[in-house]
């Protein structure tokens, strides 16, 4: 009679090896360069793919278990949020503008990252990287889906949520995030890992998913908080994967150092420019604020970023080239961008407004050296124009930066009274930039960035400058989705429903 033998439980390291390294094989009927054609053209030299280590040693069976548990909890909370009219628990309908920007710019970026990781997982020959990229590809599409599901409840009641996919491709301010991900996805596999693993996950995600999600909680939005914190454990793994990729390249060959440094310079600045949207959401669009953009930058930019570059210094890495200019811009960028959003509010799928006295006092306290000197006088002037019935609106189209695609609304690093504008001529055409950083990126890869699709030139080329036709094309309902918040349908509906809910208590 056969005896039952207890199966030996595999250790974590052995289980990880069996479900990653042992799933790979060496190709025989095709050369390896044919199977993985893109891994060499960026110039990165890799001598041993087995040196790639996943610090989490996560296997697919464990991954499904963890994610299923998170899904169960997530959908239980957002179902309760919808059933109990959770949309009326937010502090103020102005908060909805931040959610609209998030849905139009950030959620499609998660989906783009999903497609990118699915691609580079196929392009890397190392089995460890293939498995890690496969999991991150699934993470990113899950993040896009949970964000869309969580915010879909607001679409039942408020304007501006309905055409977020069209907005992502066609509206001028969403092209900032879109161009970031298009740039990353059209790069080689190693550069893509720097773009997403470093710039998106480490630079952007830290400053978005922690302070902004805390702000969502402070403003009563449990749906947004739930998808934010549901994704946060994934983001920690993503940041680790990105940093592991950087260290892996640097340890494989000394010739990789200048290539990696160049990518860090480029993608830090690309990520920092996208943060212009986040800074404005934090400083202006949260009725109740947890912290200012400056305070968030000190924690997640200066402290965390400084620690990262100190760690990488042993490989010869220095802080990114644009670090000093970024630090000088911190006290200005949210104000400059909000002024731009206000004057072009006819072309946005959200509402804008003039800050109240209370808001401006808060901004003055958080930005003592800049707000009262440079920005309060502008808002006071704009308020007088609105009171006189001549609101400050700019119906001219903004000049866009060829690289980051933001309007050229920022000032010189050392002079907040002088607009920053750079220009390059390439093959007989002139190209415009918002900063030295964006100009340097263009000058390094001009053939790539001359192909950029910019919304403003396209409006003239494809629609003959017809603003009405453009609004129809982007799915923008004039007077409903755009314009001033005061008197908007969002404000009226929220106040009415909130009053009805309160009277029924």
């Amino acid at each position: 009679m056969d005896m039952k033998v207890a199966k030996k439980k595999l250790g974590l390291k052995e289980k990880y090896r069996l479900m990653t390294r042992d799933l790979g094989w060496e190709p025989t009927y095709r050369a390896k360069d044919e199977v993985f054609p893109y891994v060499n053209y960026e110039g990165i030299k890799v001598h041993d793919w087995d040196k790639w280590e996943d610090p989490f040693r996560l296997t697919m069976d464990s991954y499904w278990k963890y994610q299923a548990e998170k899904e169960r909890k997530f959908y239980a909370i957002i179902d309760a949020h919808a059933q109990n009219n959770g949309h009326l628990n937010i502090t103020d309908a102005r908060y909805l503008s931040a959610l609209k920007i998030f849905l139009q710019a950030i959620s499609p970026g998660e989906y783009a990252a999903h497609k990118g990781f699915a691609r580079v997982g196929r392009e890397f020959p190392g089995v460890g990287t293939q498995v890690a990229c496969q999991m991150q590809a699934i993470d990113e599409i899950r993040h896009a889906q949970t964000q869309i599901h969580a915010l879909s409840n607001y679409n039942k009641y408020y304007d501006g949520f309905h055409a977020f996919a069209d907005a992502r491709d066609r509206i001028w301010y969403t092209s900032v995030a879109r161009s970031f991900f298009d740039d990353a996805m059209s790069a080689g596999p190693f550069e893509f890992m720097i773009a997403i693993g470093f710039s998106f996950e480490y630079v952007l995600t830290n400053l978005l998913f922690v302070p902004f999600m805390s702000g969502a909680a402070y403003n009563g939005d449990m749906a947004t908080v739930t998808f934010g914190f549901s994704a946060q454990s994934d983001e920690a793994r993503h940041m680790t994967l990105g940093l592991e990729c950087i260290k892996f390249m640097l340890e494989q060959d000394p010739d990789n150092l200048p290539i990696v440094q160049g990518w860090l310079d480029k993608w830090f600045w690309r990520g920092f420019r996208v943060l212009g949207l986040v800074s404005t959401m934090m400083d202006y669009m949260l009725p109740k604020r947890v912290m200012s953009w400056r305070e968030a930058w000190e924690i997640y930019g200066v402290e965390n970023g400084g620690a990262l570059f100190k760690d990488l210094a042993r490989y010869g890495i220095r802080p990114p080239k644009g670090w000093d200019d970024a630090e000088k811009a911190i006290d200005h960028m949210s104000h400059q961008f909000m002024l731009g959003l206000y004057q072009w509010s006819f072309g946005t799928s959200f509402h804008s407004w003039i800050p109240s006295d209370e808001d401006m006092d808060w901004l003055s306290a958080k930005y003592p050296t800049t707000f009262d000197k440079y920005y309060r006088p502008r808002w006071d002037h704009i308020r007088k124009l609105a009171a006189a019935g001549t609101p400050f609106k700019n119906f001219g189209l903004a000049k866009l930066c060829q690289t980051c695609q933001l309007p050229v609304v920022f000032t010189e690093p050392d002079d907040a009274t002088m607009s920053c504008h750079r220009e390059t001529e390439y093959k007989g055409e002139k190209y415009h930039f918002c900063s030295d950083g964006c100009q340097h990126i263009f000058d390094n890869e001009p053939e790539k960035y001359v192909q950029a699709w910019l919304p403003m030139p396209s409006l003239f080329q494809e629609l003959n400058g017809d603003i009405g036709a453009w609004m129809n094309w982007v799915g923008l309902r004039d007077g409903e989705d755009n314009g001033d918040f005061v008197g908007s349908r969002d404000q009226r509906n929220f106040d009415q429903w909130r009053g009805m809910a309160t009277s029924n208590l």
Side-chain angles (χ1 to χ4, degrees):
M1 182 176 179
D2 293 337
M3 293 180 62
K4 287 186 177 180
V5 179
K7 292 183 179 179
K8 180 183 176 184
K9 187 175 180 179
L10 296 175
L12 184 62
K13 188 175 285 189
E14 187 178 3
K15 180 182 177 183
Y16 176 72
R17 177 182 58 78
L18 288 170
M19 298 190 73
T20 55
R21 300 291 194 271
D22 284 9
L23 296 179
W25 66 90
E26 288 295 320
T28 54
Y29 59 92
R30 280 285 187 267
K32 205 164 186 176
D33 287 345
E34 291 181 90
V35 179
F36 305 106
Y38 298 105
V39 79
N40 293 320
Y41 93 97
E42 294 170 291
I44 294 294
K45 299 176 182 177
V46 177
H47 304 292
D48 185 0
W49 279 99
D50 287 336
K51 294 292 185 183
W52 182 296
E53 288 291 339
D54 178 3
F56 289 89
R57 289 192 168 83
L58 189 62
T59 53
M60 195 53 75
D61 58 333
S62 299
Y63 175 82
W64 292 125
K65 177 183 175 182
Y66 298 145
Q67 298 301 76
E69 181 65 17
K70 288 200 293 186
E71 291 281 284
R72 184 182 66 80
K73 293 177 180 177
F74 168 77
Y75 282 103
I77 294 173
I78 67 165
D79 284 348
H81 179 268
Q83 292 168 16
N84 291 281
N85 288 325
H87 69 98
L88 297 179
N89 291 330
I90 62 174
T91 49
D92 187 316
R94 290 178 299 166
Y95 169 76
L96 297 169
S97 287
L99 296 185
K100 293 171 188 177
I101 293 178
F102 192 103
L103 183 63
Q104 294 159 14
I106 305 302
S107 298
E110 303 269 21
Y111 183 72
H114 146 73
K115 293 195 294 184
F117 275 103
R119 174 177 68 85
V120 300
R122 167 61 184 85
E123 292 173 355
F124 280 136
V127 181
T129 52
Q130 292 170 358
V131 172
C133 288
Q134 177 190 11
M135 291 182 195
Q136 186 154 347
I138 300 169
D139 283 341
E140 302 293 4
I141 196 170
R142 174 182 173 269
H143 295 172
Q145 291 170 341
T146 54
Q147 289 162 19
I148 293 167
H149 292 166
L151 298 180
S152 64
N153 186 55
Y154 291 102
N155 184 45
K156 298 177 183 179
Y157 305 102
Y158 305 107
D159 296 321
F161 288 93
H162 64 291
F164 70 91
D166 288 339
R168 180 262 180 189
D169 288 332
R170 299 173 181 180
I171 294 185
W172 58 275
Y173 58 90
T174 57
S175 73
V176 178
R178 189 207 69 233
S179 71
F180 176 96
F181 287 98
D182 286 351
D183 194 350
M185 292 172 66
S186 57
F190 286 107
E191 184 180 351
F192 176 86
M193 293 297 291
I194 298 273
I196 304 301
F198 164 68
S199 186
F200 180 56
E201 303 292 357
Y202 201 92
V203 178
L204 271 163
T205 300
N206 260 345
L207 283 154
L208 181 63
F209 274 84
V210 181
F212 181 74
M213 294 306 163
S214 299
Y218 200 42
N219 283 274
D221 183 7
M222 287 301 104
T224 299
V225 172
T226 303
F227 78 63
F229 289 144
S230 175
Q232 195 56 39
S233 59
D234 299 333
E235 304 298 352
R237 184 159 35 83
H238 298 171
M239 285 188 283
T240 305
L241 175 63
L243 299 182
E244 179 63 30
C245 178
I246 294 173
K247 292 179 180 179
F248 172 76
M249 288 187 281
L250 294 171
E251 289 170 354
Q252 283 294 303
D253 197 286
D255 290 347
N256 295 339
L257 174 60
I259 301 173
V260 172
Q261 182 67 67
W263 286 338
L264 290 175
D265 291 345
K266 169 187 173 179
W267 285 103
F268 167 75
W269 193 254
R270 291 291 271 132
F272 183 73
R273 274 301 184 233
V274 178
L275 284 171
L277 292 170
V278 181
S279 69
T280 307
M281 290 159 67
M282 289 183 61
D283 276 348
Y284 282 88
M285 295 182 179
L286 298 182
K288 291 175 68 176
R289 303 168 180 87
V290 176
M291 63 176 70
S292 67
W293 163 245
R294 155 58 74 183
E295 290 166 328
W297 174 257
E298 288 293 335
I299 297 171
Y300 301 103
V302 176
E303 293 182 16
N304 290 6
L308 169 65
F309 294 117
K310 284 180 182 177
D311 182 40
L312 294 177
R314 57 196 169 104
Y315 298 104
I317 291 291
R318 53 163 173 76
K321 189 182 291 182
W323 186 269
D324 291 340
D325 283 351
E327 175 58 30
K328 294 173 184 176
I330 292 299
D331 291 332
H332 300 276
M333 58 195 294
S334 67
H335 317 301
Q336 293 169 355
F337 198 59
M338 185 62 178
L339 284 162
L341 293 176
Y342 179 81
Q343 65 180 298
W344 289 302
S345 62
F346 72 91
T348 64
S349 191
F350 59 86
H351 301 295
S352 57
W353 55 87
I354 300 170
S356 66
D357 288 336
E358 182 183 358
D359 291 335
M360 287 201 278
D361 288 344
W362 183 89
L363 290 166
S364 176
K366 297 299 181 180
Y367 298 94
T369 62
T370 57
F371 184 77
D372 284 343
K373 183 176 181 180
Y374 299 110
Y375 306 107
R376 186 190 285 269
R378 297 190 206 180
W379 285 119
D380 287 341
H381 178 66
I382 289 170
R383 181 183 292 176
K384 289 177 183 177
L385 292 175
T390 56
F392 178 64
K393 299 297 176 187
N394 184 350
F395 291 100
L397 300 183
K399 180 187 290 184
L400 300 183
C401 175
Q402 187 73 21
T403 302
C404 72
Q405 302 199 11
L406 277 167
V408 184
V409 296
F410 302 106
T411 53
E412 291 286 350
D414 297 310
D415 185 355
T417 65
M418 180 70 68
S419 293
C420 184
H421 173 257
R422 302 291 183 267
E423 186 175 286
T424 288
E425 186 168 327
Y426 182 73
K427 291 187 175 179
E429 294 283 341
K430 288 184 178 179
Y431 298 92
H432 305 279
F433 309 94
C434 68
S435 60
D436 291 323
C438 285
Q439 184 183 30
H440 293 159
I441 292 169
F442 178 93
D443 289 343
N444 195 47
E445 300 175 87
E447 288 293 346
K448 183 174 190 177
Y449 294 100
V450 295
Q451 302 175 61
W453 183 90
L454 272 69
M456 302 310 183
S458 298
L459 172 57
F460 283 104
Q461 292 169 0
E462 299 166 21
L463 299 172
N464 297 317
D466 187 337
I467 298 293
W470 174 80
M471 286 186 174
N472 290 333
W473 181 59
V474 302
L476 190 61
R477 300 169 301 190
D478 191 24
E480 297 176 12
D481 303 322
N482 59 353
D484 288 345
F485 171 75
V486 177
S488 67
R489 192 161 65 176
D490 277 358
Q491 184 190 36
R492 296 195 308 270
N493 287 346
F494 179 80
D495 290 345
Q496 179 184 353
W497 295 330
R498 171 73 74 83
M500 291 169 60
T502 303
S503 65
N504 290 330
L505 291 177

